[in-house]
Each structure stands twice: as structure tokens, then as C-alpha cells.
Amino acid sequence: MKHGNALQAVRARLGQRAYRMTAPRWAVIEEFAALGRYITAKELHERLRRRHARVGLATVYRTLETLESVGAAARAPQPHGETAYLFCPVKHHHHAVCTKCGKVADVSCGSLARLERALTAELRFKLVQHRFEFFGVCDRCS
Amino acid sequence: MKHGNALQAVRARLGQRAYRMTAPRWAVIEEFAALGRYITAKELHERLRRRHARVGLATVYRTLETLESVGAAARAPQPHGETAYLFCPVKHHHHAVCTKCGKVADVSCGSLARLERALTAELRFKLVQHRFEFFGVCDRCS
DNA sequence: GTCTCTGCAAAGGGTTTGCAACGCA
DNA sequence: TGCGTTGCAAACCCTTTGCAGAGAC
């Protein structure tokens, strides 16, 4: 399974922090991890319902929050007011999002270091954090 | 006045599109433009109240929406669920936000063009849009 | 005088919380 | 068995909307 390793890694990470692995929580994590794109809590909840997994919406929110707290999910507030989440156990990087299918590709931020140094001098700002998002059309959709 | 030119430009832009310049609307725009940092509708509303400007919260929201529609305000959804706005009549660019005082510096995106070309080839993505945000500590706060 | 804009309050939509029952460990 | 977790529904919070009166042009 493609996401198997990442899944088990997250399972272990949760276990280390004394989280219990219940059926609803695991159902949310599996569905979420297999997705590979940003999704809202509501949408994820609906998918689980369709699969006959008895999971409350509140549990979906709580699980996503838990995953975020252990660094396994990225949160992206949308213009409309909703929040989209992405299963994403990798440390610090950025995303390129396909505007057609929603697929997400990872972008390392190593190549941005020089740019950041230049900006630091130019703006007289000590930059300590950044957030980049790229949007476009992926290989398969174009 | 520092923001005078931008203010009058926005006033003219609104006039061209047949918006009426009412007292409440102008109060919101003035307060907003003088600020120079991101602010939520609620916070802006409170500032206006303190200045004894009788403006409803709904009017603040409507004015911010109007400004956004004519390209004079930038919207930034926050993790918590609120939306922050910045008076920003310049076309397309990015921001560096001071994490202490909230001051915003503009970052042109010209220097990022090469980076974007490289990513297009590497990811097999046709990138059509991007959003960058930088966070750090400004000159005065450090 | 017309037609947009305003303020208020209610509605709307997403997210969080309280609580009793449940079920891992 | 103890304590974290769940589901439900109510509570919350931010934002939008309906409507009658006010005001710009």
C-alpha cells in the first residue's frame, strides 16, 4: 500500500504520546491518509458515512486537530471560511495544488534560502518563517 | 499625510464605479487605510466605535468586501476562523509581516519567476498562481 | 426623487464543547 | 477498572442577509 509506511509511522507517533487507537479514530486517519489532497472536515465526514463508518463530525474535527498537533496534518484556511486539511507527516515544506483534481505535490524550500537572505537585507526584516502555496494544473489534468 | 494618495486613489476608483461616498463608508476606509497592518472586521469595528464613529459591524464587512472587489484590500483567512484584511491598493505582490507589531512590508514577486519556472519542469505542474507569506521581525521591533 | 447604503437583529454555516455512555489499555 | 474517547446536540463565533428608514447624487 502506497501510504502504508506513513500511516504506520503516524500510528506509532500517536502511540508514543499515549493516544489510544480507537476504531473511529483509525477510520478517520486511514481515509484521510489515503486521499492525498486537501479536504474539509465535513467532506471527510461524509466520505466516512458513505463507507458505513459510524463516526461523528466532532470526532473528525478532534482527530484532525490531534494529527495537526503531532505534525501529521497541514491546515489551510479557505477564503470561504472553511478549513481544509492535508495528511502530511513530512516536516517543513510547501505544496503545489492542482486546481482541477486537487492533487498535491511537495515542494522543498531549500532553493528559497537565497531569496530569503536577499529579502532580509532589502526589507530590513529578520525573516523567521514563510508560507508558500502554488496553484496550477498537474501533469494528468493538462 | 502618508496614506493620502492611496486614499484618494481608492476614493476615485470607487466613484468611477458609481459607489456612493457615505460618511460611514469613508470612516471605515480612512481608519483601515491609516493602519498599515492586517486587521479583522471586528477589531476595525471596535476602533471605529472608540472614535465615536457610528458604524455597524455589517457595514464594516460590506465596506471591506467592496474594497476587495475593487482591488484595494487583501484578505487573509486565519487559522482560528477569522479573516484579516489589509488595505493594499497595489496589484499583485506579497507581504512580509512583522510578528511583533504586525507591520507589513511589500515584496514584489518578480524575483520569484525563475524559481517558478524550475518548479514547473521539476513537478510537471503548470503553475498559474502562487501565494507567499513571510513572517519575521521588522527593523524597529528587533 | 431615485436608488444605494445603513443599522439592527436574525439567520446561516463552520467549529467547539458539555456530558453521559463506551471501550482501550 | 480507570481514564481517554465518542456521539449527540447545544453552544459559539464569525459572517451574511432581510428590511425599513436615511441619505447621496
Side-chain angles (χ1 to χ4, degrees), chain B residues 44-64:
Chain B
L44 185 53
H45 180 239
E46 278 163 12
R47 288 179 71 96
L48 288 163
R49 287 293 241 231
R50 261 183 256 129
R51 294 202 169 194
H52 308 295
R54 278 186 232 82
V55 180
L57 179 57
T59 296
V60 174
Y61 276 108
R62 286 187 278 232
T63 302
L64 290 171

Side-chain angles (χ1 to χ4, degrees), chain A residues 51-71:
Chain A
R51 293 202 170 196
H52 308 294
R54 278 186 234 83
V55 180
L57 180 55
T59 296
V60 174
Y61 276 107
R62 286 188 277 232
T63 302
L64 290 172
E65 188 190 342
T66 299
L67 288 176
E68 197 195 1
S69 76
V70 302

Side-chain angles (χ1 to χ4, degrees), chain A residues 18-58:
Chain A
Y19 285 107
R20 293 182 181 170
M21 193 47 64
T22 64
R25 182 174 277 169
W26 187 242
V28 172
I29 296 176
E30 270 196 325
E31 185 75 28
F32 183 46
L35 208 61
R37 64 171 179 83
Y38 277 94
I39 189 171
T40 62
K42 194 176 140 193
E43 201 184 340
L44 185 52
H45 180 237
E46 278 163 13
R47 288 179 72 95
L48 289 163
R49 287 295 241 229
R50 261 182 257 127
R51 293 202 170 196
H52 308 294
R54 278 186 234 83
V55 180
L57 180 55

Side-chain angles (χ1 to χ4, degrees), chain A residues 98 100-101 136-142, chain B residues 124-126:
Chain A
C98 176
K100 290 194 177 174
C101 70
V137 183
C138 76
D139 201 20
R140 289 183 53 191
C141 289
S142 67
Chain B
R124 305 177 69 85
F125 247 77
K126 275 186 204 154

Side-chain angles (χ1 to χ4, degrees), chain A residues 32-132:
Chain A
F32 183 46
L35 208 61
R37 64 171 179 83
Y38 277 94
I39 189 171
T40 62
K42 194 176 140 193
E43 201 184 340
L44 185 52
H45 180 237
E46 278 163 13
R47 288 179 72 95
L48 289 163
R49 287 295 241 229
R50 261 182 257 127
R51 293 202 170 196
H52 308 294
R54 278 186 234 83
V55 180
L57 180 55
T59 296
V60 174
Y61 276 107
R62 286 188 277 232
T63 302
L64 290 172
E65 188 190 342
T66 299
L67 288 176
E68 197 195 1
S69 76
V70 302
R75 174 194 288 239
Q78 309 285 61
H80 177 59
E82 292 175 314
T83 302
Y85 297 82
L86 178 71
F87 180 76
C88 172
V90 182
K91 208 159 280 185
H92 176 78
H93 64 285
H94 307 284
H95 297 134
V97 182
C98 176
T99 52
K100 290 194 177 174
C101 70
K103 194 179 96 174
V104 173
D106 290 350
V107 178
S108 84
C109 65
S111 55
L112 305 173
R114 190 181 43 184
L115 169 66
E116 206 159 294
R117 275 199 301 276
L119 288 177
T120 296
E122 185 187 330
L123 301 173
R124 305 178 69 84
F125 247 76
K126 275 186 203 152
L127 296 178
V128 296
Q129 207 192 337
H130 56 241
R131 179 161 60 228
F132 299 156

